[in-house]
Amino acid sequence: MTSFKKKCILMACGFLVAGVVIFSLQKPCPIEECGRNGLRERVGFPHEAHIVLYDCLVCHHVYDDQRNNILDPGELYEDNPDIRCIACHKPNAAIGPMRAFHRQCIGCHNEESAASRSSGPNMCSECHRPQETIPPDYEMIIGD
């Protein structure tokens, strides 16, 4: 093997090792830091676009043991902090905010897409994007 090929192989191995080391030093984005110091950008949510398409209880929920949504619709009023996702889905909860958002949001978007209906985004960068690219009428659900 020529010395040029050896140098190329060594350089490629060096880049590979450096990439693995750098990637392994990165920690998952703690939900309270997303959009600040985390690895993912903030997430904006078009609440108004969803309320014209879906019943509020499709997203807002309190489940009993049989997985029935027993949330009182009277609790769903503007500025009620108890109905925000993060009120229940705290970072240390059984279903934390990232898992809850991903299951609820992406799950619904995938179901809509599978049924050949218009759906929302399901790729990371379609939701996690710089704040200046998020329309001003979107509510911030991660990073506030």
Side-chain angles (χ1 to χ4, degrees):
M1 188 181 310
T2 68
S3 77
F4 178 74
K5 284 184 182 179
K6 286 179 187 176
K7 286 179 185 177
C8 288
I9 290 171
L10 287 173
M11 193 168 21
C13 289
F15 284 124
L16 178 64
V17 169
V20 169
V21 168
I22 290 169
F23 183 77
S24 68
L25 294 175
Q26 293 181 345
K27 296 179 180 161
C29 176
I31 201 70
E32 67 274 5
E33 292 183 8
C34 280
R36 294 181 183 91
N37 301 319
L39 299 176
R40 292 279 179 205
E41 297 284 349
R42 296 164 56 105
V43 172
F45 176 68
H47 190 254
E48 293 295 321
H50 284 78
I51 62 176
V52 299
L53 297 172
Y54 305 101
D55 181 87
C56 299
L57 295 177
V58 168
C59 296
H60 296 276
H61 55 263
V62 173
Y63 294 120
D64 65 12
D65 292 338
Q66 288 77 42
R67 296 277 305 150
N68 297 309
N69 188 355
I70 58 170
L71 179 67
D72 177 2
E75 294 295 312
L76 299 174
Y77 57 88
E78 193 171 350
D79 298 326
N80 179 354
D82 296 332
I83 63 166
R84 293 186 59 85
C85 305
I86 200 71
C88 296
H89 297 287
K90 297 182 184 316
N92 59 348
I95 298 177
M98 185 175 73
R99 185 171 173 212
F101 295 139
H102 288 159
R103 286 172 82 185
Q104 185 82 351
C105 303
I106 297 171
C108 184
H109 293 172
N110 287 341
E111 286 176 20
E112 293 294 301
S113 182
S116 298
R117 293 188 291 262
S118 177
S119 78
N122 56 17
M123 299 299 292
C124 302
S125 64
E126 293 173 317
C127 292
H128 295 276
R129 56 191 202 192
Q131 186 168 0
E132 59 270 10
T133 67
I134 298 172
D137 59 334
Y138 279 28
E139 294 178 23
M140 299 311 295
I141 60 170
I142 298 178
D144 261 1

